[in-house]
Amino acid sequence: MARILVVEDETDIQEILEYNLKRDGHDVVLTGTARDGLRHARERRPDLVLLDLMLPDGSGTELCKTLRQDAATRGVRVVMLTAKGEEIDRVIGFELGADDYIVKPFSVRELLLRVQAVLRRVSTGESGETTQFGTLRVDRGAHRVWVNGQEVELTALEFKLLLTLHDRRNRVQTRDALLSDVWKIDADVTTRTVDTHVKRLREKLGAAGIYVQTVRGVGYRFAERPDEVA
Amino acid sequence: MARILVVEDETDIQEILEYNLKRDGHDVVLTGTARDGLRHARERRPDLVLLDLMLPDGSGTELCKTLRQDAATRGVRVVMLTAKGEEIDRVIGFELGADDYIVKPFSVRELLLRVQAVLRRVSTGESGETTQFGTLRVDRGAHRVWVNGQEVELTALEFKLLLTLHDRRNRVQTRDALLSDVWKIDADVTTRTVDTHVKRLREKLGAAGIYVQTVRGVGYRFAERPDEVA
DNA sequence: TTGGTTCGTCACAAGGTCGTCACCTTCGCG
DNA sequence: CGCGAAGGTGACGACCTTGTGACGAACCAA
């Protein structure tokens, strides 16, 4: 189905990834170091690299950056794996050019779904960096947002909130889910905080604010139109 | 909030789990053997199974595998409980498709957080969450409903009621069964409340309201045609 | 330090939701 | 047909949820 390179030093995680990815019909190669990872990536040009943030011989972020810049690995998709609490978040991950970002411990299902999603974007030619959604354009890497071509200034938190909603569009997100995905692990905030930031986000998005929909008694949903067909 | 099956032979752990999960608003059933666990899982279709690795009548890994393969328990989430030192089985647990694992002795807080996280993925993770039933289309993830392509706005409670009826379609649900499945655990309401909400649901579903059928003296049934029997 | 920005919380108001009740309609049965 | 019971219906009030503006703490750059 796709060629996937796993760069991860913990052998049990390696095994889990190998077993499940192969079961999903992928062609899997395992490496435990950044050096081997880069070599394999250049030689084999995998479709996707699953990349641990913490590696024995260097950080995964460096490798990620290299993969992005190296001509030999142009077009390779990168999904970062990070342990909870590591000083990186979604936004930083995206700045490095990662296509997605998964926090350990992760559910196997979730991982497979994300991998599928990234691969799907590859095959449909959708860019990993910027996405157009209705009148809204988002550039993850540059951290910029436009509504009808007009740039909108968002704070880091608002941007992250928008990304999270956008990435799970057409799915209701409970306030708790948003809190755990957008806010820091140790953040001690109430669910009402989400409301306030949703309000500010809508405000800044202007006309595109209607994409952020309230599902009363449940949470928020990002969708194009009220009657959109799922 | 969710139906949780605990398969664990140590009674003190059982008690801790039961107490805390119930306090979190979950509906909890306890079993101590793999056999009972499987039976309950098939009958009750819990949202989540908390599964001890070491059971008196067989390993939890076997049960996990069975739960994954059995059509009657499709979609059930599994969280494995393992004693320290059973590290090897951690990998096996993931390979078998467990959604998470927790090492004993665990902090109650951590357990509850993990359970929450896994349950949240249930409602947001799965793809292909829309089902077509006659003229009715339901998207669980987005919390949206269409009748003949026209979106219908349901409240959280109405939506849950519809899902519950739909999931047990062609089978009569007594008012009491609906109350315990749809309403909060501590809800103190009369069975007539169900009637009222069925009425509101039918009203909003319009033409598709005929799917919600009254079985006089018993309860309600969700079916395509009035004479359909399961 | 100072000034500006960002963010979390609060209180309030508007409106939505839900449980109940009284009354009406329908059904099953003789 | 008439009766009683079960279920449908409409209305209402209590409660809950969310949007909103304001405020102060924390942070940061100059």
Side-chain angles (χ1 to χ4, degrees), chain A residues 12 15-16 19 107-110 113 170-172 177 180 218 221 225-230, chain B residues 68 77 90-91 94-95 99 120-121 124-126 129-130 137 139 141-144 146 151 156:
Chain A
D12 51 349
E15 284 177 41
I16 293 163
Y19 176 86
S107 124
V108 171
R109 267 165 213 256
E110 182 179 18
L113 285 173
N170 297 324
R171 297 256 136 78
V172 179
S180 78
V218 188
R221 174 182 57 206
R225 318 165 108 270
D227 59 353
E228 187 178 8
V229 172
Chain B
R68 276 286 174 267
R77 301 291 154 143
R90 168 183 159 179
V91 174
F94 270 122
E95 284 179 358
D99 291 281
R120 201 160 49 228
R121 288 194 209 109
T124 57
E126 288 280 315
E129 284 184 297
T130 92
R137 194 168 80 253
D139 185 330
H143 236 267
R144 303 172 90 170
W146 296 261
E151 180 158 14

mmCIF file of all heavy atoms in Angstrom, chain A residues 12 15-16 19 107-110 113 170-172 177 180 218 221 225-230, chain B residues 68 77 90-91 94-95 99 120-121 124-126 129-130 137 139 141-144 146 151 156:
data_model
loop_
_atom_site.group_PDB
_atom_site.id
_atom_site.type_symbol
_atom_site.label_atom_id
_atom_site.label_comp_id
_atom_site.label_asym_id
_atom_site.label_seq_id
_atom_site.Cartn_x
_atom_site.Cartn_y
_atom_site.Cartn_z
ATOM 1 N N ASP A 12 10.019 -2.032 21.789
ATOM 2 C CA ASP A 12 8.634 -2.515 21.889
ATOM 3 C C ASP A 12 7.685 -1.652 21.069
ATOM 4 O O ASP A 12 6.723 -2.148 20.478
ATOM 5 C CB ASP A 12 8.178 -2.632 23.350
ATOM 6 C CG ASP A 12 8.444 -1.364 24.139
ATOM 7 O OD1 ASP A 12 9.160 -0.505 23.615
ATOM 8 O OD2 ASP A 12 7.941 -1.251 25.265
ATOM 9 N N GLU A 15 8.047 -2.723 17.551
ATOM 10 C CA GLU A 15 7.295 -3.946 17.251
ATOM 11 C C GLU A 15 5.826 -3.664 17.037
ATOM 12 O O GLU A 15 5.199 -4.180 16.118
ATOM 13 C CB GLU A 15 7.453 -4.955 18.394
ATOM 14 C CG GLU A 15 8.809 -5.643 18.400
ATOM 15 C CD GLU A 15 8.940 -6.572 19.596
ATOM 16 O OE1 GLU A 15 7.955 -7.254 19.909
ATOM 17 O OE2 GLU A 15 10.014 -6.595 20.221
ATOM 18 N N ILE A 16 5.292 -2.818 17.920
ATOM 19 C CA ILE A 16 3.875 -2.483 17.802
ATOM 20 C C ILE A 16 3.605 -1.845 16.444
ATOM 21 O O ILE A 16 2.659 -2.211 15.733
ATOM 22 C CB ILE A 16 3.458 -1.494 18.907
ATOM 23 C CG1 ILE A 16 3.546 -2.180 20.262
ATOM 24 C CG2 ILE A 16 2.070 -0.955 18.656
ATOM 25 C CD1 ILE A 16 3.564 -1.196 21.416
ATOM 26 N N TYR A 19 4.118 -4.403 13.481
ATOM 27 C CA TYR A 19 3.037 -5.379 13.393
ATOM 28 C C TYR A 19 1.772 -4.769 12.800
ATOM 29 O O TYR A 19 1.174 -5.301 11.869
ATOM 30 C CB TYR A 19 2.750 -5.950 14.788
ATOM 31 C CG TYR A 19 1.591 -6.905 14.828
ATOM 32 C CD1 TYR A 19 1.771 -8.263 14.549
ATOM 33 C CD2 TYR A 19 0.311 -6.460 15.133
ATOM 34 C CE1 TYR A 19 0.705 -9.132 14.579
ATOM 35 C CE2 TYR A 19 -0.766 -7.326 15.166
ATOM 36 C CZ TYR A 19 -0.564 -8.673 14.885
ATOM 37 O OH TYR A 19 -1.626 -9.530 14.909
ATOM 38 N N SER A 107 -3.213 5.371 20.892
ATOM 39 C CA SER A 107 -3.991 4.187 20.559
ATOM 40 C C SER A 107 -3.578 3.743 19.166
ATOM 41 O O SER A 107 -3.356 4.545 18.274
ATOM 42 C CB SER A 107 -5.475 4.515 20.601
ATOM 43 O OG SER A 107 -6.089 4.218 19.379
ATOM 44 N N VAL A 108 -3.466 2.441 18.999
ATOM 45 C CA VAL A 108 -3.062 1.901 17.705
ATOM 46 C C VAL A 108 -4.034 2.334 16.622
ATOM 47 O O VAL A 108 -3.642 2.711 15.526
ATOM 48 C CB VAL A 108 -2.984 0.361 17.767
ATOM 49 C CG1 VAL A 108 -2.793 -0.213 16.382
ATOM 50 C CG2 VAL A 108 -1.847 -0.052 18.688
ATOM 51 N N ARG A 109 -5.315 2.319 16.972
ATOM 52 C CA ARG A 109 -6.307 2.735 15.994
ATOM 53 C C ARG A 109 -6.067 4.154 15.533
ATOM 54 O O ARG A 109 -6.155 4.468 14.358
ATOM 55 C CB ARG A 109 -7.687 2.712 16.632
ATOM 56 C CG ARG A 109 -8.426 1.450 16.456
ATOM 57 C CD ARG A 109 -9.557 1.468 17.448
ATOM 58 N NE ARG A 109 -9.834 0.139 17.896
ATOM 59 C CZ ARG A 109 -10.886 -0.552 17.471
ATOM 60 N NH1 ARG A 109 -11.716 -0.014 16.631
ATOM 61 N NH2 ARG A 109 -11.093 -1.763 17.885
ATOM 62 N N GLU A 110 -5.831 5.004 16.523
ATOM 63 C CA GLU A 110 -5.649 6.398 16.184
ATOM 64 C C GLU A 110 -4.451 6.570 15.263
ATOM 65 O O GLU A 110 -4.506 7.281 14.264
ATOM 66 C CB GLU A 110 -5.452 7.236 17.446
ATOM 67 C CG GLU A 110 -5.312 8.692 17.106
ATOM 68 C CD GLU A 110 -5.144 9.561 18.340
ATOM 69 O OE1 GLU A 110 -4.810 9.033 19.408
ATOM 70 O OE2 GLU A 110 -5.338 10.781 18.194
ATOM 71 N N LEU A 113 -5.270 5.499 11.803
ATOM 72 C CA LEU A 113 -6.155 6.464 11.159
ATOM 73 C C LEU A 113 -5.388 7.688 10.673
ATOM 74 O O LEU A 113 -5.600 8.169 9.563
ATOM 75 C CB LEU A 113 -7.261 6.898 12.130
ATOM 76 C CG LEU A 113 -8.367 5.881 12.360
ATOM 77 C CD1 LEU A 113 -9.302 6.336 13.465
ATOM 78 C CD2 LEU A 113 -9.154 5.670 11.065
ATOM 79 N N ASN A 170 -15.940 18.307 10.840
ATOM 80 C CA ASN A 170 -17.108 17.447 10.732
ATOM 81 C C ASN A 170 -17.193 16.435 11.864
ATOM 82 O O ASN A 170 -17.899 15.445 11.773
ATOM 83 C CB ASN A 170 -17.139 16.713 9.392
ATOM 84 C CG ASN A 170 -17.261 17.664 8.233
ATOM 85 O OD1 ASN A 170 -17.944 18.676 8.338
ATOM 86 N ND2 ASN A 170 -16.587 17.364 7.143
ATOM 87 N N ARG A 171 -16.475 16.693 12.920
ATOM 88 C CA ARG A 171 -16.561 15.870 14.118
ATOM 89 C C ARG A 171 -16.774 16.810 15.286
ATOM 90 O O ARG A 171 -16.047 17.791 15.421
ATOM 91 C CB ARG A 171 -15.240 15.137 14.385
ATOM 92 C CG ARG A 171 -14.830 14.168 13.339
ATOM 93 C CD ARG A 171 -15.096 12.752 13.821
ATOM 94 N NE ARG A 171 -15.710 11.971 12.769
ATOM 95 C CZ ARG A 171 -15.044 11.466 11.757
ATOM 96 N NH1 ARG A 171 -13.760 11.642 11.673
ATOM 97 N NH2 ARG A 171 -15.658 10.777 10.841
ATOM 98 N N VAL A 172 -17.724 16.493 16.121
ATOM 99 C CA VAL A 172 -17.886 17.309 17.312
ATOM 100 C C VAL A 172 -16.705 17.075 18.242
ATOM 101 O O VAL A 172 -16.273 15.948 18.435
ATOM 102 C CB VAL A 172 -19.178 16.945 18.063
ATOM 103 C CG1 VAL A 172 -19.305 17.786 19.320
ATOM 104 C CG2 VAL A 172 -20.377 17.160 17.182
ATOM 105 N N ALA A 177 -12.082 17.473 25.252
ATOM 106 C CA ALA A 177 -11.167 17.024 24.204
ATOM 107 C C ALA A 177 -10.322 18.182 23.713
ATOM 108 O O ALA A 177 -9.110 18.047 23.522
ATOM 109 C CB ALA A 177 -11.969 16.404 23.057
ATOM 110 N N SER A 180 -7.624 19.077 26.218
ATOM 111 C CA SER A 180 -6.459 18.194 26.288
ATOM 112 C C SER A 180 -5.646 18.237 25.003
ATOM 113 O O SER A 180 -4.462 17.918 25.012
ATOM 114 C CB SER A 180 -6.884 16.772 26.621
ATOM 115 O OG SER A 180 -7.406 16.138 25.489
ATOM 116 N N VAL A 218 -22.909 19.422 23.833
ATOM 117 C CA VAL A 218 -21.857 18.492 23.442
ATOM 118 C C VAL A 218 -20.509 19.191 23.322
ATOM 119 O O VAL A 218 -19.567 18.889 24.054
ATOM 120 C CB VAL A 218 -22.198 17.787 22.111
ATOM 121 C CG1 VAL A 218 -21.191 16.694 21.825
ATOM 122 C CG2 VAL A 218 -23.590 17.200 22.162
ATOM 123 N N ARG A 221 -17.975 22.099 16.679
ATOM 124 C CA ARG A 221 -17.735 21.368 15.439
ATOM 125 C C ARG A 221 -17.277 22.355 14.378
ATOM 126 O O ARG A 221 -17.781 23.476 14.299
ATOM 127 C CB ARG A 221 -19.023 20.688 14.998
ATOM 128 C CG ARG A 221 -18.946 20.021 13.638
ATOM 129 C CD ARG A 221 -20.286 19.430 13.278
ATOM 130 N NE ARG A 221 -21.352 20.426 13.291
ATOM 131 C CZ ARG A 221 -22.627 20.133 13.501
ATOM 132 N NH1 ARG A 221 -23.005 18.904 13.743
ATOM 133 N NH2 ARG A 221 -23.528 21.085 13.472
ATOM 134 N N ARG A 225 -20.780 24.123 6.026
ATOM 135 C CA ARG A 225 -22.116 24.688 6.020
ATOM 136 C C ARG A 225 -23.016 23.821 6.883
ATOM 137 O O ARG A 225 -22.787 22.643 7.014
ATOM 138 C CB ARG A 225 -22.681 24.728 4.596
ATOM 139 C CG ARG A 225 -21.666 25.185 3.577
ATOM 140 C CD ARG A 225 -22.118 24.863 2.152
ATOM 141 N NE ARG A 225 -22.513 26.037 1.417
ATOM 142 C CZ ARG A 225 -23.753 26.514 1.392
ATOM 143 N NH1 ARG A 225 -24.705 25.895 2.037
ATOM 144 N NH2 ARG A 225 -24.021 27.572 0.709
ATOM 145 N N PRO A 226 -24.027 24.445 7.418
ATOM 146 C CA PRO A 226 -24.940 23.715 8.286
ATOM 147 C C PRO A 226 -25.520 22.472 7.631
ATOM 148 O O PRO A 226 -25.789 21.494 8.298
ATOM 149 C CB PRO A 226 -26.045 24.733 8.579
ATOM 150 C CG PRO A 226 -25.376 26.054 8.406
ATOM 151 C CD PRO A 226 -24.342 25.856 7.337
ATOM 152 N N ASP A 227 -25.724 22.526 6.339
ATOM 153 C CA ASP A 227 -26.374 21.388 5.694
ATOM 154 C C ASP A 227 -25.385 20.563 4.887
ATOM 155 O O ASP A 227 -25.756 19.844 3.984
ATOM 156 C CB ASP A 227 -27.514 21.866 4.792
ATOM 157 C CG ASP A 227 -26.999 22.824 3.723
ATOM 158 O OD1 ASP A 227 -25.805 23.198 3.801
ATOM 159 O OD2 ASP A 227 -27.776 23.170 2.831
ATOM 160 N N GLU A 228 -24.143 20.686 5.224
ATOM 161 C CA GLU A 228 -23.131 19.955 4.472
ATOM 162 C C GLU A 228 -23.373 18.456 4.549
ATOM 163 O O GLU A 228 -23.684 17.906 5.591
ATOM 164 C CB GLU A 228 -21.739 20.266 5.013
ATOM 165 C CG GLU A 228 -20.639 19.673 4.170
ATOM 166 C CD GLU A 228 -19.276 20.060 4.720
ATOM 167 O OE1 GLU A 228 -19.245 20.637 5.809
ATOM 168 O OE2 GLU A 228 -18.287 19.801 4.060
ATOM 169 N N VAL A 229 -23.145 17.808 3.451
ATOM 170 C CA VAL A 229 -23.340 16.363 3.398
ATOM 171 C C VAL A 229 -22.064 15.685 3.886
ATOM 172 O O VAL A 229 -20.969 16.027 3.461
ATOM 173 C CB VAL A 229 -23.651 15.909 1.956
ATOM 174 C CG1 VAL A 229 -23.649 14.399 1.889
ATOM 175 C CG2 VAL A 229 -24.997 16.459 1.529
ATOM 176 N N ALA A 230 -22.241 14.763 4.786
ATOM 177 C CA ALA A 230 -21.059 14.118 5.358
ATOM 178 C C ALA A 230 -20.570 12.972 4.505
ATOM 179 O O ALA A 230 -21.322 12.287 3.882
ATOM 180 C CB ALA A 230 -21.377 13.595 6.743
ATOM 181 N N ARG B 68 -11.915 -8.668 19.617
ATOM 182 C CA ARG B 68 -11.617 -7.972 18.375
ATOM 183 C C ARG B 68 -12.194 -8.687 17.156
ATOM 184 O O ARG B 68 -12.587 -8.053 16.180
ATOM 185 C CB ARG B 68 -10.099 -7.867 18.195
ATOM 186 C CG ARG B 68 -9.493 -6.715 18.918
ATOM 187 C CD ARG B 68 -9.819 -5.431 18.197
ATOM 188 N NE ARG B 68 -9.350 -4.282 18.957
ATOM 189 C CZ ARG B 68 -10.094 -3.621 19.807
ATOM 190 N NH1 ARG B 68 -11.352 -3.967 19.982
ATOM 191 N NH2 ARG B 68 -9.617 -2.606 20.476
ATOM 192 N N ARG B 77 -13.941 -1.003 22.719
ATOM 193 C CA ARG B 77 -12.582 -0.585 23.050
ATOM 194 C C ARG B 77 -12.050 -1.432 24.196
ATOM 195 O O ARG B 77 -12.799 -1.827 25.071
ATOM 196 C CB ARG B 77 -12.565 0.883 23.488
ATOM 197 C CG ARG B 77 -13.102 1.803 22.429
ATOM 198 C CD ARG B 77 -12.143 1.845 21.287
ATOM 199 N NE ARG B 77 -12.805 2.185 20.052
ATOM 200 C CZ ARG B 77 -12.249 2.936 19.137
ATOM 201 N NH1 ARG B 77 -11.041 3.427 19.309
ATOM 202 N NH2 ARG B 77 -12.888 3.173 18.024
ATOM 203 N N ARG B 90 2.870 -6.407 27.178
ATOM 204 C CA ARG B 90 2.453 -5.083 26.774
ATOM 205 C C ARG B 90 2.436 -4.977 25.248
ATOM 206 O O ARG B 90 1.489 -4.493 24.654
ATOM 207 C CB ARG B 90 3.441 -4.089 27.364
ATOM 208 C CG ARG B 90 3.328 -2.720 26.810
ATOM 209 C CD ARG B 90 4.410 -1.867 27.416
ATOM 210 N NE ARG B 90 4.654 -0.731 26.578
ATOM 211 C CZ ARG B 90 5.538 0.213 26.862
ATOM 212 N NH1 ARG B 90 6.268 0.125 27.948
ATOM 213 N NH2 ARG B 90 5.702 1.218 26.051
ATOM 214 N N VAL B 91 3.510 -5.508 24.669
ATOM 215 C CA VAL B 91 3.567 -5.514 23.216
ATOM 216 C C VAL B 91 2.454 -6.368 22.642
ATOM 217 O O VAL B 91 1.741 -5.971 21.729
ATOM 218 C CB VAL B 91 4.925 -6.040 22.732
ATOM 219 C CG1 VAL B 91 4.910 -6.165 21.225
ATOM 220 C CG2 VAL B 91 6.023 -5.115 23.196
ATOM 221 N N PHE B 94 -0.848 -4.640 22.638
ATOM 222 C CA PHE B 94 -1.031 -3.708 21.531
ATOM 223 C C PHE B 94 -1.244 -4.434 20.213
ATOM 224 O O PHE B 94 -2.052 -4.052 19.395
ATOM 225 C CB PHE B 94 0.188 -2.786 21.407
ATOM 226 C CG PHE B 94 0.049 -1.536 22.211
ATOM 227 C CD1 PHE B 94 0.969 -1.204 23.176
ATOM 228 C CD2 PHE B 94 -1.017 -0.685 21.989
ATOM 229 C CE1 PHE B 94 0.838 -0.039 23.920
ATOM 230 C CE2 PHE B 94 -1.156 0.481 22.724
ATOM 231 C CZ PHE B 94 -0.224 0.797 23.690
ATOM 232 N N GLU B 95 -0.471 -5.517 20.042
ATOM 233 C CA GLU B 95 -0.615 -6.270 18.800
ATOM 234 C C GLU B 95 -2.011 -6.813 18.657
ATOM 235 O O GLU B 95 -2.546 -6.937 17.568
ATOM 236 C CB GLU B 95 0.385 -7.430 18.772
ATOM 237 C CG GLU B 95 1.800 -6.972 18.458
ATOM 238 C CD GLU B 95 2.774 -8.126 18.447
ATOM 239 O OE1 GLU B 95 2.360 -9.258 18.715
ATOM 240 O OE2 GLU B 95 3.955 -7.871 18.166
ATOM 241 N N ASP B 99 -6.486 -0.729 23.005
ATOM 242 C CA ASP B 99 -6.401 0.693 22.717
ATOM 243 C C ASP B 99 -5.475 1.416 23.681
ATOM 244 O O ASP B 99 -4.978 2.481 23.385
ATOM 245 C CB ASP B 99 -7.788 1.315 22.790
ATOM 246 C CG ASP B 99 -8.644 0.829 21.662
ATOM 247 O OD1 ASP B 99 -8.479 1.334 20.558
ATOM 248 O OD2 ASP B 99 -9.452 -0.096 21.877
ATOM 249 N N ARG B 120 -13.103 9.110 24.531
ATOM 250 C CA ARG B 120 -13.231 10.275 23.672
ATOM 251 C C ARG B 120 -12.921 9.914 22.231
ATOM 252 O O ARG B 120 -13.561 10.369 21.306
ATOM 253 C CB ARG B 120 -12.293 11.370 24.155
ATOM 254 C CG ARG B 120 -12.663 12.724 23.706
ATOM 255 C CD ARG B 120 -12.026 13.744 24.593
ATOM 256 N NE ARG B 120 -10.620 13.500 24.776
ATOM 257 C CZ ARG B 120 -10.009 13.502 25.950
ATOM 258 N NH1 ARG B 120 -10.681 13.708 27.041
ATOM 259 N NH2 ARG B 120 -8.732 13.277 26.025
ATOM 260 N N ARG B 121 -11.940 9.050 22.072
ATOM 261 C CA ARG B 121 -11.588 8.641 20.710
ATOM 262 C C ARG B 121 -12.721 7.857 20.076
ATOM 263 O O ARG B 121 -12.883 7.870 18.873
ATOM 264 C CB ARG B 121 -10.335 7.777 20.740
ATOM 265 C CG ARG B 121 -9.093 8.569 21.049
ATOM 266 C CD ARG B 121 -7.873 7.749 20.731
ATOM 267 N NE ARG B 121 -6.772 8.128 21.598
ATOM 268 C CZ ARG B 121 -6.309 7.362 22.573
ATOM 269 N NH1 ARG B 121 -6.849 6.183 22.786
ATOM 270 N NH2 ARG B 121 -5.326 7.755 23.326
ATOM 271 N N THR B 124 -14.848 10.368 18.527
ATOM 272 C CA THR B 124 -14.293 11.287 17.543
ATOM 273 C C THR B 124 -13.400 10.599 16.507
ATOM 274 O O THR B 124 -13.136 11.164 15.463
ATOM 275 C CB THR B 124 -13.443 12.365 18.224
ATOM 276 O OG1 THR B 124 -12.428 11.724 18.973
ATOM 277 C CG2 THR B 124 -14.288 13.228 19.108
ATOM 278 N N GLY B 125 -12.947 9.389 16.809
ATOM 279 C CA GLY B 125 -11.910 8.796 15.975
ATOM 280 C C GLY B 125 -12.388 8.039 14.751
ATOM 281 O O GLY B 125 -11.881 8.249 13.661
ATOM 282 N N GLU B 126 -13.363 7.182 14.920
ATOM 283 C CA GLU B 126 -13.728 6.272 13.843
ATOM 284 C C GLU B 126 -14.137 7.009 12.573
ATOM 285 O O GLU B 126 -14.856 7.995 12.621
ATOM 286 C CB GLU B 126 -14.895 5.393 14.285
ATOM 287 C CG GLU B 126 -14.515 4.351 15.294
ATOM 288 C CD GLU B 126 -13.862 3.133 14.679
ATOM 289 O OE1 GLU B 126 -14.354 2.622 13.664
ATOM 290 O OE2 GLU B 126 -12.849 2.689 15.223
ATOM 291 N N GLU B 129 -18.535 7.016 10.013
ATOM 292 C CA GLU B 129 -19.456 7.058 11.128
ATOM 293 C C GLU B 129 -20.863 7.405 10.704
ATOM 294 O O GLU B 129 -21.713 7.585 11.540
ATOM 295 C CB GLU B 129 -18.981 8.080 12.157
ATOM 296 C CG GLU B 129 -17.833 7.547 12.961
ATOM 297 C CD GLU B 129 -17.456 8.545 14.035
ATOM 298 O OE1 GLU B 129 -17.042 9.651 13.721
ATOM 299 O OE2 GLU B 129 -17.610 8.194 15.197
ATOM 300 N N THR B 130 -21.075 7.537 9.441
ATOM 301 C CA THR B 130 -22.437 7.860 9.054
ATOM 302 C C THR B 130 -23.150 6.607 8.559
ATOM 303 O O THR B 130 -22.575 5.791 7.870
ATOM 304 C CB THR B 130 -22.476 8.956 7.970
ATOM 305 O OG1 THR B 130 -22.479 8.327 6.689
ATOM 306 C CG2 THR B 130 -21.303 9.889 8.077
ATOM 307 N N ARG B 137 -30.321 9.649 7.559
ATOM 308 C CA ARG B 137 -28.876 9.500 7.618
ATOM 309 C C ARG B 137 -28.360 10.095 8.916
ATOM 310 O O ARG B 137 -28.748 11.191 9.303
ATOM 311 C CB ARG B 137 -28.189 10.172 6.434
ATOM 312 C CG ARG B 137 -26.739 9.718 6.343
ATOM 313 C CD ARG B 137 -26.060 10.095 5.042
ATOM 314 N NE ARG B 137 -25.613 11.468 5.017
ATOM 315 C CZ ARG B 137 -26.173 12.425 4.320
ATOM 316 N NH1 ARG B 137 -27.227 12.178 3.584
ATOM 317 N NH2 ARG B 137 -25.689 13.645 4.352
ATOM 318 N N ASP B 139 -24.903 10.921 11.295
ATOM 319 C CA ASP B 139 -23.446 11.024 11.433
ATOM 320 C C ASP B 139 -23.129 11.176 12.916
ATOM 321 O O ASP B 139 -23.323 12.227 13.501
ATOM 322 C CB ASP B 139 -22.934 12.246 10.661
ATOM 323 C CG ASP B 139 -21.404 12.322 10.677
ATOM 324 O OD1 ASP B 139 -20.797 11.847 11.660
ATOM 325 O OD2 ASP B 139 -20.831 12.851 9.715
ATOM 326 N N GLY B 141 -20.243 11.070 14.490
ATOM 327 C CA GLY B 141 -19.101 11.919 14.797
ATOM 328 C C GLY B 141 -19.466 13.390 14.782
ATOM 329 O O GLY B 141 -19.087 14.150 15.653
ATOM 330 N N ALA B 142 -20.220 13.778 13.787
ATOM 331 C CA ALA B 142 -20.570 15.186 13.644
ATOM 332 C C ALA B 142 -21.811 15.540 14.438
ATOM 333 O O ALA B 142 -22.153 16.711 14.566
ATOM 334 C CB ALA B 142 -20.790 15.519 12.176
ATOM 335 N N HIS B 143 -22.502 14.505 14.935
ATOM 336 C CA HIS B 143 -23.704 14.763 15.694
ATOM 337 C C HIS B 143 -24.757 15.395 14.811
ATOM 338 O O HIS B 143 -25.380 16.394 15.203
ATOM 339 C CB HIS B 143 -23.379 15.705 16.863
ATOM 340 C CG HIS B 143 -23.777 15.144 18.192
ATOM 341 N ND1 HIS B 143 -24.977 15.405 18.774
ATOM 342 C CD2 HIS B 143 -23.129 14.330 19.035
ATOM 343 C CE1 HIS B 143 -25.057 14.793 19.937
ATOM 344 N NE2 HIS B 143 -23.930 14.132 20.116
ATOM 345 N N ARG B 144 -24.927 14.844 13.625
ATOM 346 C CA ARG B 144 -25.884 15.448 12.702
ATOM 347 C C ARG B 144 -26.796 14.391 12.105
ATOM 348 O O ARG B 144 -26.431 13.236 11.976
ATOM 349 C CB ARG B 144 -25.142 16.181 11.573
ATOM 350 C CG ARG B 144 -24.193 17.234 12.096
ATOM 351 C CD ARG B 144 -23.352 17.802 10.986
ATOM 352 N NE ARG B 144 -23.982 18.961 10.372
ATOM 353 C CZ ARG B 144 -23.362 19.747 9.506
ATOM 354 N NH1 ARG B 144 -22.138 19.480 9.122
ATOM 355 N NH2 ARG B 144 -23.970 20.774 8.998
ATOM 356 N N TRP B 146 -29.899 13.773 8.989
ATOM 357 C CA TRP B 146 -30.607 14.246 7.805
ATOM 358 C C TRP B 146 -31.794 13.345 7.501
ATOM 359 O O TRP B 146 -31.703 12.119 7.666
ATOM 360 C CB TRP B 146 -29.697 14.238 6.574
ATOM 361 C CG TRP B 146 -28.532 15.160 6.649
ATOM 362 C CD1 TRP B 146 -28.444 16.405 6.092
ATOM 363 C CD2 TRP B 146 -27.260 14.923 7.270
ATOM 364 N NE1 TRP B 146 -27.203 16.952 6.345
ATOM 365 C CE2 TRP B 146 -26.462 16.070 7.059
ATOM 366 C CE3 TRP B 146 -26.725 13.854 7.994
ATOM 367 C CZ2 TRP B 146 -25.158 16.171 7.532
ATOM 368 C CZ3 TRP B 146 -25.436 13.954 8.472
ATOM 369 C CH2 TRP B 146 -24.655 15.106 8.249
ATOM 370 N N GLU B 151 -31.163 18.529 6.593
ATOM 371 C CA GLU B 151 -30.677 18.389 7.964
ATOM 372 C C GLU B 151 -31.744 18.721 8.993
ATOM 373 O O GLU B 151 -32.556 19.608 8.803
ATOM 374 C CB GLU B 151 -29.446 19.264 8.213
ATOM 375 C CG GLU B 151 -28.951 19.100 9.637
ATOM 376 C CD GLU B 151 -27.492 19.490 9.834
ATOM 377 O OE1 GLU B 151 -26.921 20.129 8.935
ATOM 378 O OE2 GLU B 151 -26.936 19.125 10.889
ATOM 379 N N ALA B 156 -29.085 17.251 22.271
ATOM 380 C CA ALA B 156 -28.161 16.174 22.646
ATOM 381 C C ALA B 156 -28.937 14.937 23.098
ATOM 382 O O ALA B 156 -28.603 13.810 22.740
ATOM 383 C CB ALA B 156 -27.229 16.649 23.747
#
